[in-house]
Amino acid sequence: MITPASSEESRSAAEIVAAEWSDVLSYGRDIIDPAVPRVAYQHPSLRELWPMVSHGVLYLSRCTRYPWSRDIGTAFPQGGGGYRIRRESDRTMLGEVDTVEEAYALIAAGLPDGCGPAIDGTADDLRSCAGLGREA
């Protein structure tokens, strides 16, 4: 017997990512400084990635499901102002900058080679796309 796919299964990865960005862009100051996702969203290459927020920090992933990829830089706000940008996959410090605009420009410039739109899957699924240059 064939059953209709759930709405989640029938949506494309791009639609899933767009819906999550819509949610993240609507968050108030109680969750994240609204300027952060707005600035990140201005970069077309970052807009294609899966956004998520934890403890007031915006994280980006190349996949829509846990475990997420950890190879995209993350901007951590500093107590004295500015941002420290770090990539978790190899614990590389990408830099320290004064503004949120500089932070996301640095993140966009430091995307992994072959980084394309997020896939509907996990970081393990990215590894299976090795021929597409999508290693996690």
Side-chain angles (χ1 to χ4, degrees):
M1 179 167 111
I2 299 174
T3 59
S6 73
S7 62
E8 186 71 16
E9 290 171 346
S10 64
R11 292 191 309 169
S12 72
E15 291 169 323
I16 294 168
V17 168
E20 191 65 19
W21 268 111
S22 180
D23 287 347
V24 169
L25 289 165
S26 72
Y27 290 167
R29 287 197 167 281
D30 56 326
I31 298 176
I32 190 169
D33 176 351
V36 172
R38 289 182 191 141
V39 168
Y41 190 78
Q42 291 175 1
H43 293 272
S45 58
L46 301 181
R47 187 181 315 142
E48 295 180 326
L49 302 173
W50 175 257
M52 65 197 112
V53 176
S54 179
H55 298 87
V57 174
L58 176 67
Y59 295 87
L60 300 169
S61 173
R62 295 193 293 146
C63 51
T64 63
R65 299 181 194 186
Y66 180 84
W68 296 285
S69 68
R70 300 171 4 155
D71 56 351
I72 307 297
T74 301
F76 295 94
Q78 300 303 292
Y83 293 84
R84 180 174 292 152
I85 296 84
R86 189 177 83 177
R87 185 175 50 235
E88 186 62 31
S89 61
D90 60 1
R91 300 197 183 276
T92 297
M93 181 67 63
L94 300 174
E96 292 187 30
V97 297
D98 294 328
T99 68
V100 67
E101 292 83 6
E102 292 171 312
Y104 285 93
L106 183 59
I107 290 169
L111 290 175
D113 290 338
C115 184
I119 65 161
D120 183 19
T122 70
D124 294 330
D125 296 323
L126 286 169
R127 288 186 196 98
S128 68
C129 297
L132 301 175
R134 290 186 169 178
E135 295 83 9

CSV table of all heavy atoms in Angstrom, one decimal, residues 57-121:
chain,number,residue,atom,x,y,z
A,57,VAL,N,23.6,32.4,20.1
A,57,VAL,CA,24.6,32.3,19.0
A,57,VAL,C,23.9,31.7,17.8
A,57,VAL,O,23.2,30.7,18.0
A,57,VAL,CB,25.8,31.5,19.5
A,57,VAL,CG1,26.8,31.3,18.3
A,57,VAL,CG2,26.5,32.3,20.6
A,58,LEU,N,24.2,32.2,16.6
A,58,LEU,CA,23.7,31.6,15.4
A,58,LEU,C,24.7,30.6,14.9
A,58,LEU,O,25.9,30.9,14.6
A,58,LEU,CB,23.5,32.7,14.3
A,58,LEU,CG,23.1,32.2,12.9
A,58,LEU,CD1,21.6,31.6,13.0
A,58,LEU,CD2,23.1,33.4,11.9
A,59,TYR,N,24.3,29.4,14.7
A,59,TYR,CA,25.1,28.3,14.1
A,59,TYR,C,24.6,28.0,12.7
A,59,TYR,O,23.4,28.1,12.5
A,59,TYR,CB,25.0,27.0,14.9
A,59,TYR,CG,25.6,27.2,16.3
A,59,TYR,CD1,24.9,27.7,17.4
A,59,TYR,CD2,27.0,26.9,16.6
A,59,TYR,CE1,25.4,27.9,18.6
A,59,TYR,CE2,27.5,27.1,17.8
A,59,TYR,CZ,26.7,27.6,18.8
A,59,TYR,OH,27.3,27.8,20.1
A,60,LEU,N,25.5,27.6,11.8
A,60,LEU,CA,25.1,27.3,10.4
A,60,LEU,C,25.6,25.9,10.1
A,60,LEU,O,26.7,25.5,10.5
A,60,LEU,CB,25.6,28.3,9.4
A,60,LEU,CG,25.2,29.7,9.6
A,60,LEU,CD1,26.0,30.7,8.8
A,60,LEU,CD2,23.7,29.8,9.3
A,61,SER,N,24.8,25.1,9.3
A,61,SER,CA,25.2,23.7,9.0
A,61,SER,C,24.9,23.5,7.5
A,61,SER,O,24.0,24.1,6.9
A,61,SER,CB,24.4,22.8,9.9
A,61,SER,OG,24.6,21.4,9.5
A,62,ARG,N,25.6,22.5,7.0
A,62,ARG,CA,25.4,22.1,5.6
A,62,ARG,C,24.4,21.0,5.5
A,62,ARG,O,24.1,20.4,4.4
A,62,ARG,CB,26.7,21.7,5.0
A,62,ARG,CG,27.7,22.8,4.8
A,62,ARG,CD,28.9,22.5,4.0
A,62,ARG,NE,29.7,21.5,4.5
A,62,ARG,CZ,30.4,20.6,3.8
A,62,ARG,NH1,30.2,20.6,2.5
A,62,ARG,NH2,31.2,19.7,4.4
A,63,CYS,N,23.7,20.6,6.6
A,63,CYS,CA,22.7,19.6,6.6
A,63,CYS,C,21.6,20.0,7.6
A,63,CYS,O,21.8,20.8,8.5
A,63,CYS,CB,23.3,18.2,7.0
A,63,CYS,SG,24.2,18.2,8.5
A,64,THR,N,20.4,19.5,7.3
A,64,THR,CA,19.2,20.0,8.1
A,64,THR,C,18.9,19.1,9.3
A,64,THR,O,18.0,19.4,10.0
A,64,THR,CB,18.0,20.0,7.2
A,64,THR,OG1,17.7,18.7,6.7
A,64,THR,CG2,18.2,20.9,6.0
A,65,ARG,N,19.6,18.0,9.5
A,65,ARG,CA,19.3,17.1,10.6
A,65,ARG,C,20.5,16.8,11.4
A,65,ARG,O,21.7,16.9,11.0
A,65,ARG,CB,18.8,15.8,10.0
A,65,ARG,CG,17.5,15.9,9.2
A,65,ARG,CD,17.1,14.6,8.7
A,65,ARG,NE,16.1,14.7,7.7
A,65,ARG,CZ,15.4,13.8,7.2
A,65,ARG,NH1,15.6,12.5,7.6
A,65,ARG,NH2,14.5,14.0,6.2
A,66,TYR,N,20.3,16.5,12.7
A,66,TYR,CA,21.3,16.2,13.7
A,66,TYR,C,21.9,14.8,13.4
A,66,TYR,O,21.1,13.9,13.0
A,66,TYR,CB,20.7,16.2,15.1
A,66,TYR,CG,21.8,15.9,16.1
A,66,TYR,CD1,22.6,16.8,16.6
A,66,TYR,CD2,21.9,14.6,16.6
A,66,TYR,CE1,23.6,16.5,17.5
A,66,TYR,CE2,22.8,14.2,17.5
A,66,TYR,CZ,23.7,15.2,18.0
A,66,TYR,OH,24.6,14.9,18.9
A,67,PRO,N,23.2,14.6,13.4
A,67,PRO,CA,24.2,15.6,13.8
A,67,PRO,C,24.5,16.5,12.6
A,67,PRO,O,24.7,16.0,11.5
A,67,PRO,CB,25.4,14.7,14.2
A,67,PRO,CG,25.2,13.4,13.4
A,67,PRO,CD,23.8,13.2,13.2
A,68,TRP,N,24.6,17.8,12.9
A,68,TRP,CA,24.8,18.8,11.9
A,68,TRP,C,26.3,18.8,11.6
A,68,TRP,O,27.2,18.3,12.4
A,68,TRP,CB,24.4,20.1,12.4
A,68,TRP,CG,22.9,20.2,12.6
A,68,TRP,CD1,22.0,20.3,11.7
A,68,TRP,CD2,22.2,20.1,13.9
A,68,TRP,NE1,20.7,20.3,12.2
A,68,TRP,CE2,20.8,20.2,13.6
A,68,TRP,CE3,22.6,20.0,15.2
A,68,TRP,CZ2,19.8,20.2,14.5
A,68,TRP,CZ3,21.6,20.0,16.2
A,68,TRP,CH2,20.2,20.1,15.8
A,69,SER,N,26.6,19.4,10.5
A,69,SER,CA,28.1,19.6,10.1
A,69,SER,C,28.6,20.7,11.1
A,69,SER,O,27.9,21.6,11.5
A,69,SER,CB,28.2,20.0,8.7
A,69,SER,OG,27.7,21.3,8.4
A,70,ARG,N,29.9,20.6,11.3
A,70,ARG,CA,30.5,21.6,12.2
A,70,ARG,C,31.7,22.3,11.5
A,70,ARG,O,32.6,22.8,12.2
A,70,ARG,CB,31.0,20.9,13.5
A,70,ARG,CG,29.9,20.2,14.2
A,70,ARG,CD,30.3,19.3,15.3
A,70,ARG,NE,31.7,19.2,15.6
A,70,ARG,CZ,32.2,18.9,16.8
A,70,ARG,NH1,31.5,18.6,17.7
A,70,ARG,NH2,33.5,18.9,16.9
A,71,ASP,N,31.6,22.4,10.2
A,71,ASP,CA,32.7,23.0,9.4
A,71,ASP,C,32.4,24.4,8.9
A,71,ASP,O,33.2,24.9,8.1
A,71,ASP,CB,33.0,22.0,8.3
A,71,ASP,CG,31.9,21.7,7.4
A,71,ASP,OD1,30.7,22.1,7.7
A,71,ASP,OD2,32.1,21.1,6.3
A,72,ILE,N,31.4,25.0,9.5
A,72,ILE,CA,31.1,26.4,9.1
A,72,ILE,C,31.5,27.3,10.3
A,72,ILE,O,31.2,26.9,11.5
A,72,ILE,CB,29.6,26.6,8.8
A,72,ILE,CG1,29.1,25.6,7.8
A,72,ILE,CG2,29.3,28.0,8.4
A,72,ILE,CD1,29.7,25.7,6.4
A,73,GLY,N,32.1,28.4,10.1
A,73,GLY,CA,32.5,29.3,11.2
A,73,GLY,C,31.3,29.8,11.9
A,73,GLY,O,30.2,29.9,11.4
A,74,THR,N,31.6,30.0,13.2
A,74,THR,CA,30.5,30.6,14.1
A,74,THR,C,31.0,31.8,14.8
A,74,THR,O,32.2,31.9,15.2
A,74,THR,CB,30.2,29.5,15.2
A,74,THR,OG1,29.7,28.3,14.6
A,74,THR,CG2,29.1,30.0,16.1
A,75,ALA,N,30.2,32.9,14.8
A,75,ALA,CA,30.6,34.1,15.4
A,75,ALA,C,30.1,34.2,16.9
A,75,ALA,O,28.9,34.1,17.1
A,75,ALA,CB,30.0,35.3,14.6
A,76,PHE,N,31.0,34.2,17.8
A,76,PHE,CA,30.7,34.3,19.2
A,76,PHE,C,30.9,35.7,19.7
A,76,PHE,O,32.0,36.3,19.6
A,76,PHE,CB,31.6,33.4,20.0
A,76,PHE,CG,31.4,31.9,19.7
A,76,PHE,CD1,32.2,31.3,18.7
A,76,PHE,CD2,30.4,31.2,20.3
A,76,PHE,CE1,32.0,29.9,18.4
A,76,PHE,CE2,30.2,29.8,20.0
A,76,PHE,CZ,31.0,29.2,19.1
A,77,PRO,N,29.8,36.4,20.2
A,77,PRO,CA,29.9,37.7,20.7
A,77,PRO,C,30.8,37.8,21.9
A,77,PRO,O,30.8,36.9,22.8
A,77,PRO,CB,28.5,38.1,21.0
A,77,PRO,CG,27.7,36.9,21.1
A,77,PRO,CD,28.4,35.8,20.4
A,78,GLN,N,31.6,38.8,22.0
A,78,GLN,CA,32.6,38.9,23.1
A,78,GLN,C,32.0,40.0,24.1
A,78,GLN,O,31.4,40.9,23.7
A,78,GLN,CB,33.9,39.4,22.6
A,78,GLN,CG,34.6,38.4,21.6
A,78,GLN,CD,34.7,37.0,22.2
A,78,GLN,OE1,35.5,36.8,23.1
A,78,GLN,NE2,33.9,36.1,21.7
A,79,GLY,N,32.3,39.8,25.4
A,79,GLY,CA,31.8,40.6,26.4
A,79,GLY,C,32.2,42.1,26.3
A,79,GLY,O,31.4,43.0,26.5
A,80,GLY,N,33.3,42.4,25.7
A,80,GLY,CA,33.8,43.7,25.5
A,80,GLY,C,33.4,44.3,24.2
A,80,GLY,O,33.9,45.4,23.8
A,81,GLY,N,32.7,43.6,23.4
A,81,GLY,CA,32.3,44.0,22.1
A,81,GLY,C,33.0,43.2,21.0
A,81,GLY,O,34.1,42.6,21.3
A,82,GLY,N,32.5,43.2,19.9
A,82,GLY,CA,33.1,42.4,18.8
A,82,GLY,C,32.8,40.9,18.8
A,82,GLY,O,32.0,40.5,19.6
A,83,TYR,N,33.4,40.2,17.9
A,83,TYR,CA,33.1,38.8,17.7
A,83,TYR,C,34.3,38.0,17.5
A,83,TYR,O,35.3,38.5,16.8
A,83,TYR,CB,32.2,38.6,16.5
A,83,TYR,CG,30.8,39.2,16.7
A,83,TYR,CD1,30.6,40.5,16.4
A,83,TYR,CD2,29.8,38.4,17.1
A,83,TYR,CE1,29.3,41.1,16.6
A,83,TYR,CE2,28.5,38.9,17.3
A,83,TYR,CZ,28.3,40.3,17.0
A,83,TYR,OH,27.1,40.8,17.2
A,84,ARG,N,34.4,36.8,18.0
A,84,ARG,CA,35.4,35.8,17.8
A,84,ARG,C,34.8,34.8,16.9
A,84,ARG,O,33.8,34.2,17.2
A,84,ARG,CB,35.9,35.2,19.1
A,84,ARG,CG,37.0,34.2,18.9
A,84,ARG,CD,37.6,33.7,20.2
A,84,ARG,NE,38.3,34.9,20.8
A,84,ARG,CZ,38.5,35.0,22.1
A,84,ARG,NH1,38.0,34.1,22.9
A,84,ARG,NH2,39.1,36.0,22.6
A,85,ILE,N,35.5,34.5,15.8
A,85,ILE,CA,34.9,33.5,14.8
A,85,ILE,C,35.8,32.2,14.9
A,85,ILE,O,37.0,32.3,14.7
A,85,ILE,CB,34.9,34.1,13.4
A,85,ILE,CG1,33.9,35.3,13.3
A,85,ILE,CG2,34.4,33.0,12.4
A,85,ILE,CD1,34.5,36.6,13.7
A,86,ARG,N,35.1,31.1,15.1
A,86,ARG,CA,35.8,29.8,15.2
A,86,ARG,C,35.0,28.8,14.5
A,86,ARG,O,33.8,28.8,14.4
A,86,ARG,CB,35.8,29.4,16.7
A,86,ARG,CG,36.7,28.2,17.0
A,86,ARG,CD,36.8,27.9,18.4
A,86,ARG,NE,35.6,27.1,18.7
A,86,ARG,CZ,35.4,26.7,19.9
A,86,ARG,NH1,36.2,26.9,20.9
A,86,ARG,NH2,34.3,25.9,20.2
A,87,ARG,N,35.8,27.8,13.9
A,87,ARG,CA,35.3,26.7,13.2
A,87,ARG,C,35.5,25.5,14.1
A,87,ARG,O,36.6,25.1,14.5
A,87,ARG,CB,36.0,26.5,11.8
A,87,ARG,CG,35.4,25.4,11.0
A,87,ARG,CD,36.0,25.3,9.6
A,87,ARG,NE,37.4,25.3,9.7
A,87,ARG,CZ,38.2,26.1,9.0
A,87,ARG,NH1,37.7,27.0,8.2
A,87,ARG,NH2,39.5,26.0,9.1
A,88,GLU,N,34.4,24.8,14.5
A,88,GLU,CA,34.4,23.8,15.5
A,88,GLU,C,35.1,22.5,14.9
A,88,GLU,O,35.8,21.8,15.7
A,88,GLU,CB,33.0,23.4,16.0
A,88,GLU,CG,33.0,22.4,17.1
A,88,GLU,CD,33.7,22.9,18.3
A,88,GLU,OE1,33.7,24.1,18.6
A,88,GLU,OE2,34.2,22.0,19.0
A,89,SER,N,34.9,22.2,13.7
A,89,SER,CA,35.4,20.9,13.1
A,89,SER,C,36.9,20.7,13.4
A,89,SER,O,37.3,19.6,13.6
A,89,SER,CB,35.1,20.7,11.6
A,89,SER,OG,35.7,21.8,10.9
A,90,ASP,N,37.7,21.7,13.2
A,90,ASP,CA,39.1,21.6,13.4
A,90,ASP,C,39.6,22.6,14.5
A,90,ASP,O,40.8,22.8,14.6
A,90,ASP,CB,39.9,21.8,12.1
A,90,ASP,CG,39.6,23.1,11.4
A,90,ASP,OD1,38.9,23.9,12.0
A,90,ASP,OD2,40.2,23.3,10.3
A,91,ARG,N,38.7,23.2,15.2
A,91,ARG,CA,39.0,24.2,16.3
A,91,ARG,C,39.8,25.4,15.8
A,91,ARG,O,40.7,25.9,16.5
A,91,ARG,CB,39.6,23.5,17.5
A,91,ARG,CG,38.6,22.5,18.1
A,91,ARG,CD,39.1,22.1,19.5
A,91,ARG,NE,38.3,21.1,20.0
A,91,ARG,CZ,37.1,21.3,20.6
A,91,ARG,NH1,36.6,22.5,20.7
A,91,ARG,NH2,36.4,20.3,21.1
A,92,THR,N,39.7,25.7,14.5
A,92,THR,CA,40.4,26.8,14.0
A,92,THR,C,39.8,28.2,14.3
A,92,THR,O,38.6,28.4,14.2
A,92,THR,CB,40.5,26.7,12.4
A,92,THR,OG1,41.2,25.5,12.1
A,92,THR,CG2,41.2,27.9,11.8
A,93,MET,N,40.6,29.1,14.9
A,93,MET,CA,40.2,30.4,15.1
A,93,MET,C,40.3,31.2,13.8
A,93,MET,O,41.5,31.3,13.3
A,93,MET,CB,41.1,31.1,16.2
A,93,MET,CG,40.7,32.5,16.6
A,93,MET,SD,39.0,32.6,17.4
A,93,MET,CE,39.4,31.7,18.9
A,94,LEU,N,39.2,31.6,13.2
A,94,LEU,CA,39.3,32.3,12.0
A,94,LEU,C,39.6,33.8,12.1
A,94,LEU,O,40.0,34.4,11.1
A,94,LEU,CB,37.9,32.1,11.2
A,94,LEU,CG,37.6,30.7,10.9
A,94,LEU,CD1,36.2,30.6,10.3
A,94,LEU,CD2,38.6,30.0,10.0
A,95,GLY,N,39.3,34.4,13.3
A,95,GLY,CA,39.6,35.8,13.5
A,95,GLY,C,38.8,36.4,14.5
A,95,GLY,O,37.8,35.8,15.1
A,96,GLU,N,39.1,37.6,14.8
A,96,GLU,CA,38.3,38.5,15.7
A,96,GLU,C,38.1,39.8,15.0
A,96,GLU,O,39.0,40.4,14.4
A,96,GLU,CB,39.1,38.8,17.0
A,96,GLU,CG,39.3,37.6,17.9
A,96,GLU,CD,39.9,37.9,19.3
A,96,GLU,OE1,39.7,39.0,19.8
A,96,GLU,OE2,40.6,37.0,19.8
A,97,VAL,N,36.8,40.2,15.1
A,97,VAL,CA,36.4,41.4,14.3
A,97,VAL,C,35.5,42.3,15.2
A,97,VAL,O,35.1,41.8,16.3
A,97,VAL,CB,35.6,41.1,13.0
A,97,VAL,CG1,36.5,40.3,12.1
A,97,VAL,CG2,34.4,40.2,13.4
A,98,ASP,N,35.3,43.5,14.8
A,98,ASP,CA,34.6,44.5,15.6
A,98,ASP,C,33.1,44.4,15.4
A,98,ASP,O,32.3,44.7,16.3
A,98,ASP,CB,35.1,45.9,15.4
A,98,ASP,CG,36.5,46.1,15.8
A,98,ASP,OD1,36.9,45.5,16.8
A,98,ASP,OD2,37.2,46.9,15.2
A,99,THR,N,32.6,44.1,14.2
A,99,THR,CA,31.2,44.2,13.9
A,99,THR,C,30.6,42.9,13.4
A,99,THR,O,31.3,42.0,12.9
A,99,THR,CB,31.0,45.3,12.8
A,99,THR,OG1,31.5,44.8,11.6
A,99,THR,CG2,31.6,46.6,13.2
A,100,VAL,N,29.3,42.8,13.6
A,100,VAL,CA,28.6,41.6,13.1
A,100,VAL,C,28.7,41.5,11.6
A,100,VAL,O,28.8,40.4,11.0
A,100,VAL,CB,27.1,41.6,13.6
A,100,VAL,CG1,26.3,42.7,12.9
A,100,VAL,CG2,26.4,40.3,13.3
A,101,GLU,N,28.7,42.6,10.9
A,101,GLU,CA,28.9,42.6,9.4
A,101,GLU,C,30.3,42.0,9.0
A,101,GLU,O,30.3,41.1,8.1
A,101,GLU,CB,28.8,44.0,8.8
A,101,GLU,CG,27.4,44.6,8.9
A,101,GLU,CD,27.1,45.2,10.3
A,101,GLU,OE1,28.0,45.3,11.1
A,101,GLU,OE2,25.9,45.6,10.5
A,102,GLU,N,31.3,42.4,9.7
A,102,GLU,CA,32.6,41.8,9.5
A,102,GLU,C,32.7,40.3,9.8
A,102,GLU,O,33.3,39.5,9.1
A,102,GLU,CB,33.7,42.5,10.3
A,102,GLU,CG,33.9,44.0,9.9
A,102,GLU,CD,34.8,44.7,10.9
A,102,GLU,OE1,34.6,44.6,12.1
A,102,GLU,OE2,35.8,45.3,10.4
A,103,ALA,N,32.0,39.9,10.9
A,103,ALA,CA,32.0,38.5,11.3
A,103,ALA,C,31.4,37.6,10.2
A,103,ALA,O,32.0,36.6,9.8
A,103,ALA,CB,31.2,38.4,12.6
A,104,TYR,N,30.2,38.0,9.7
A,104,TYR,CA,29.6,37.2,8.7
A,104,TYR,C,30.2,37.3,7.3
A,104,TYR,O,30.2,36.3,6.5
A,104,TYR,CB,28.1,37.3,8.7
A,104,TYR,CG,27.5,36.6,9.9
A,104,TYR,CD1,27.4,37.3,11.1
A,104,TYR,CD2,27.4,35.3,9.9
A,104,TYR,CE1,27.0,36.6,12.3
A,104,TYR,CE2,27.0,34.6,11.0
A,104,TYR,CZ,26.8,35.3,12.2
A,104,TYR,OH,26.4,34.6,13.4
A,105,ALA,N,30.9,38.4,7.0
A,105,ALA,CA,31.7,38.4,5.8
A,105,ALA,C,32.9,37.4,5.9
A,105,ALA,O,33.2,36.7,4.9
A,105,ALA,CB,32.2,39.8,5.6
A,106,LEU,N,33.5,37.3,7.1
A,106,LEU,CA,34.6,36.4,7.3
A,106,LEU,C,34.1,35.0,7.2
A,106,LEU,O,34.7,34.1,6.6
A,106,LEU,CB,35.2,36.7,8.6
A,106,LEU,CG,36.4,35.8,9.0
A,106,LEU,CD1,37.6,36.0,8.0
A,106,LEU,CD2,36.9,36.2,10.4
A,107,ILE,N,32.9,34.7,7.8
A,107,ILE,CA,32.4,33.3,7.7
A,107,ILE,C,32.1,33.0,6.3
A,107,ILE,O,32.4,31.9,5.8
A,107,ILE,CB,31.1,33.2,8.6
A,107,ILE,CG1,31.5,33.3,10.1
A,107,ILE,CG2,30.3,31.9,8.3
A,107,ILE,CD1,30.4,33.5,11.1
A,108,ALA,N,31.4,33.9,5.5
A,108,ALA,CA,31.1,33.6,4.1
A,108,ALA,C,32.4,33.3,3.3
A,108,ALA,O,32.4,32.4,2.5
A,108,ALA,CB,30.3,34.7,3.5
A,109,ALA,N,33.4,34.1,3.6
A,109,ALA,CA,34.7,33.9,2.9
A,109,ALA,C,35.4,32.6,3.2
A,109,ALA,O,36.2,32.1,2.4
A,109,ALA,CB,35.6,35.1,3.1
A,110,GLY,N,35.1,32.1,4.4
A,110,GLY,CA,35.8,30.9,4.9
A,110,GLY,C,35.0,29.6,4.7
A,110,GLY,O,35.4,28.6,5.4
A,111,LEU,N,34.0,29.6,3.9
A,111,LEU,CA,33.2,28.4,3.7
A,111,LEU,C,34.1,27.3,3.1
A,111,LEU,O,35.0,27.6,2.3
A,111,LEU,CB,32.0,28.6,2.8
A,111,LEU,CG,30.9,29.5,3.4
A,111,LEU,CD1,29.8,29.8,2.3
A,111,LEU,CD2,30.3,28.9,4.6
A,112,PRO,N,33.8,26.0,3.5
A,112,PRO,CA,34.6,24.9,2.9
A,112,PRO,C,34.5,24.9,1.4
A,112,PRO,O,33.5,25.3,0.8
A,112,PRO,CB,34.0,23.7,3.5
A,112,PRO,CG,33.2,24.2,4.7
A,112,PRO,CD,32.8,25.6,4.4
A,113,ASP,N,35.6,24.4,0.8
A,113,ASP,CA,35.6,24.2,-0.7
A,113,ASP,C,34.4,23.4,-1.1
A,113,ASP,O,34.1,22.4,-0.4
A,113,ASP,CB,36.8,23.5,-1.2
A,113,ASP,CG,38.1,24.4,-1.1
A,113,ASP,OD1,37.9,25.7,-1.0
A,113,ASP,OD2,39.2,23.9,-1.0
A,114,GLY,N,33.7,23.8,-2.1
A,114,GLY,CA,32.6,23.0,-2.6
A,114,GLY,C,31.3,23.1,-1.8
A,114,GLY,O,30.4,22.4,-2.0
A,115,CYS,N,31.3,24.0,-0.8
A,115,CYS,CA,30.1,24.2,0.0
A,115,CYS,C,29.0,24.7,-0.8
A,115,CYS,O,29.1,25.7,-1.4
A,115,CYS,CB,30.4,25.1,1.2
A,115,CYS,SG,29.1,25.3,2.4
A,116,GLY,N,27.9,23.9,-0.8
A,116,GLY,CA,26.7,24.3,-1.5
A,116,GLY,C,25.6,24.4,-0.6
A,116,GLY,O,25.7,24.4,0.6
A,117,PRO,N,24.4,24.4,-1.1
A,117,PRO,CA,23.2,24.4,-0.3
A,117,PRO,C,23.2,23.2,0.7
A,117,PRO,O,23.7,22.2,0.4
A,117,PRO,CB,22.0,24.3,-1.3
A,117,PRO,CG,22.6,24.7,-2.6
A,117,PRO,CD,24.1,24.3,-2.6
A,118,ALA,N,22.5,23.5,1.8
A,118,ALA,CA,22.4,22.4,2.8
A,118,ALA,C,21.6,21.3,2.2
A,118,ALA,O,20.7,21.5,1.4
A,118,ALA,CB,21.6,23.0,4.0
A,119,ILE,N,21.9,20.1,2.6
A,119,ILE,CA,21.2,18.9,2.2
A,119,ILE,C,20.2,18.5,3.3
A,119,ILE,O,20.3,18.8,4.4
A,119,ILE,CB,22.1,17.7,1.9
A,119,ILE,CG1,22.8,17.2,3.1
A,119,ILE,CG2,23.1,18.0,0.8
A,119,ILE,CD1,23.4,15.8,3.0
A,120,ASP,N,19.1,17.8,2.9
A,120,ASP,CA,18.2,17.3,3.9
A,120,ASP,C,18.7,16.0,4.3
A,120,ASP,O,18.5,14.9,3.7
A,120,ASP,CB,16.8,17.1,3.2
A,120,ASP,CG,15.7,16.6,4.2
A,120,ASP,OD1,16.0,16.8,5.5
A,120,ASP,OD2,14.7,16.1,3.8
A,121,GLY,N,19.5,16.0,5.4
A,121,GLY,CA,20.1,14.8,5.9
A,121,GLY,C,21.0,15.2,7.1
A,121,GLY,O,20.9,16.3,7.6
